[in-house]
Amino acid sequence: MTDQTQVQDKETAEADVQRGAEGMPETPAPAAELAAVEDVEEALRDVVDPELGINIVDLGLLYGVTVEQDNSATLDMTLTSAACPLTDVIEEQARSALTGGPGGGVVNDFRINWVWMPPWGPEKITEEGREQLRALGFTV
């Protein structure tokens, strides 16, 4: 092989090599980590019933949590009264608690499935919720 042929072969090989990001294979995005039900419930402790001043978890308003594969949550919830005028306040607090904050929140999105059966009653309040109500002067 002559020196000229070696130079041409080297130039051809270099022309086939792409440099920079254009030549790199795409790396798959890391799998999104699903929120644990316990983490969703803990975040919802920041959602306070505006009338009673107790969080919705200890008040017994949260009946269930399901986290889907897309890291969205479905909340089965009730209210102390079906005629509660503050539903929007609770929904906005839940949105802030679950999807807000640095890093995007506990879940990507959520929806509330309002449930009326079984009806809410004082027996649904947790012991911690009862202590909070007693501290506020309520008898439970």
Side-chain angles (χ1 to χ4, degrees):
M1 215 183 245
T2 67
D3 288 338
Q4 181 67 24
T5 306
Q6 288 176 337
V7 169
Q8 286 176 339
D9 288 344
K10 184 178 178 186
E11 287 174 356
T12 303
E14 285 181 359
D16 291 340
V17 174
Q18 289 187 339
R19 306 233 186 258
E22 299 84 33
M24 299 296 295
E26 288 189 33
T27 55
E33 191 172 317
L34 293 182
V37 169
E38 296 80 16
D39 293 338
V40 173
E41 289 176 358
E42 186 61 34
L44 289 171
R45 290 184 187 279
D46 289 340
V47 179
V48 176
D49 181 279
E51 293 177 316
L52 297 174
I54 306 297
N55 73 72
I56 62 171
V57 176
D58 288 325
L59 200 50
L61 299 179
L62 183 65
Y63 284 1
V65 174
T66 305
V67 178
E68 304 297 332
Q69 290 300 313
D70 64 353
N71 201 37
S72 65
T74 299
L75 313 176
D76 291 333
M77 286 183 55
T78 194
L79 297 168
T80 55
S81 164
C84 178
L86 300 169
T87 305
D88 292 344
V89 173
I90 291 173
E91 286 181 12
E92 282 307 309
Q93 285 185 41
R95 179 167 310 288
S96 177
L98 294 175
T99 64
V106 177
V107 294
N108 297 333
D109 200 7
F110 78 100
R111 74 178 195 89
I112 298 175
N113 180 30
W114 294 109
V115 180
W116 305 110
M117 294 305 283
W120 178 87
E123 71 280 356
K124 303 235 185 265
I125 302 172
T126 67
E127 190 53 43
E128 188 173 321
R130 291 177 190 284
E131 289 175 20
Q132 292 174 43
L133 285 170
R134 283 191 213 72
L136 293 172
F138 291 97
T139 54
V140 282

